Amino acid sequence: MNIKIGGATLAVILTGMLVALGVSECQRGPLNPEVADGTSDEQKTWLTIEHRIRRYDPALTEVIRNGPQTLTVRYRPGVPPESDDAWVADLLRIVGHGLAALNNAPGGKQYTHVTVQARRLADDDVELVYDMRGFDAIKTQRDGYTTFASQPRRLTFNAAALTQLKAECRNPNTRGFYPEFCERVRTATARD
């Protein structure tokens, strides 16, 4: 079946896509934060990194600098997903794009270790630790941000969160889309 699209139709489609992308970006606010006059370059860099990570999604509520190469990002979804099996998808998508925002921010590449403290049932009941040095190799692949987010160097859970995540990963959709993550969940043990 051959489908032919004329130049005018293609222009309308592309314009619609650009408008949709622009609206989405406008809803997130400016790419760079407003900073007061006299703010040091180092502080501007940090404020930009923090702003860009949090700008991606309101569920990324806090960014904490732990050292010259380490960050902690807190993931706190405001409303529960419509179904339990959506939690893994939302977490990995949002965390992946938050890590991309860090990687693309000026000075962001200096942070090579990122810990994500996530909320499944209670604050910090899920912890994912990423080694960002492998990020550039994966990010260019299709769904690369989510793929990277689904492969943390280390992940830990409290007992209740692990029980729910194991049940969620038994869902064929979740397991099919995130096989590496679900395999790690399947073999994980709960922290004390």
Side-chain angles (χ1 to χ4, degrees):
M1 176 183 197
N2 290 336
I3 299 175
K4 294 183 180 184
I5 298 176
T9 303
L10 183 59
V12 169
I13 291 169
L14 291 175
T15 301
M17 290 171 61
L18 290 172
V19 167
L21 178 63
V23 167
S24 175
E25 281 299 303
C26 286
Q27 289 172 338
R28 291 186 184 149
L31 184 60
N32 295 316
E34 291 185 27
V35 292
D37 292 338
T39 304
S40 71
D41 287 343
E42 181 181 342
Q43 188 63 14
K44 283 180 190 174
T45 299
W46 168 248
L47 291 171
T48 301
I49 288 169
E50 181 183 34
H51 172 78
R52 287 193 184 179
I53 292 170
R54 293 178 65 191
R55 174 182 180 267
Y56 180 73
D57 194 284
L60 300 173
T61 60
E62 192 173 3
V63 182
I64 303 161
R65 193 172 15 183
N66 302 328
Q69 295 184 313
T70 60
L71 289 178
T72 297
V73 177
R74 294 219 166 104
Y75 170 80
R76 306 283 188 270
V79 293
E82 291 179 17
S83 67
D84 282 344
D85 63 329
W87 190 87
V88 168
D90 287 349
L91 169 74
L92 297 178
R93 177 183 50 80
I94 291 168
V95 166
H97 283 277
L99 295 173
L102 167 66
N103 190 59
N104 294 329
K109 288 185 187 285
Q110 78 181 34
Y111 295 98
T112 57
H113 295 87
V114 178
T115 300
V116 176
Q117 294 175 336
R119 175 184 177 85
R120 176 68 174 105
L121 302 169
D123 286 350
D124 307 334
D125 58 355
V126 174
E127 186 173 277
L128 311 171
V129 179
Y130 296 93
D131 183 349
M132 293 297 291
R133 288 175 283 217
F135 186 79
D136 283 332
I138 295 177
K139 75 176 185 178
T140 57
Q141 299 172 6
R142 183 172 182 244
D143 297 325
Y145 298 157
T146 304
T147 299
F148 184 83
S150 69
Q151 300 171 358
R153 181 175 46 123
R154 188 179 80 236
L155 62 162
T156 56
F157 311 97
N158 75 13
L162 181 58
T163 299
Q164 283 203 354
L165 284 167
K166 283 184 176 186
E168 193 171 324
C169 279
R170 283 192 288 272
N171 178 313
N173 287 332
T174 304
R175 190 175 56 245
F177 282 110
Y178 312 103
E180 298 91 356
F181 185 79
C182 284
E183 181 59 25
R184 299 272 306 277
V185 167
R186 188 184 68 77
T187 60
T189 56
R191 67 176 180 240
D192 294 331

